[in-house]
Amino acid sequence: MRVSTTTPGVNVNIHLGSATASPVCTVYPDGNGTFQLKANSCYPEPTGAATIYLTVTGPAVLNSLTFTH
């Protein structure tokens, strides 16, 4: 995930199946306003197909999102 925020403490949460489901992954961007590549491993690793929802706890700009296995 390449993300930027100027607000310290903002989190990007990844949910499966519903935006209100418990997050399966959380990414913690730096609050310095520059785009940075951030990653976090999901545990346990999700399997199968699901609709993915991203939620943020404050203002953030998402430049790219990559899933790897």
Side-chain angles (χ1 to χ4, degrees):
M1 177 178 301
R2 191 162 183 261
V3 62
S4 171
T5 183
T6 57
T7 306
V10 170
N11 299 333
V12 181
N13 299 305
I14 301 170
H15 309 265
L16 299 179
S18 168
T20 58
S22 294
V24 294
C25 297
T26 302
V27 175
Y28 308 95
D30 296 339
N32 61 12
T34 60
F35 279 104
Q36 298 181 353
L37 186 60
K38 292 293 183 174
N40 193 359
S41 297
C42 298
Y43 185 83
E45 186 175 301
T47 60
T51 302
I52 297 169
Y53 294 86
L54 299 177
T55 61
V56 293
T57 60
V61 178
L62 180 66
N63 179 267
S64 64
L65 178 64
T66 304
F67 294 95
T68 60
H69 175 58

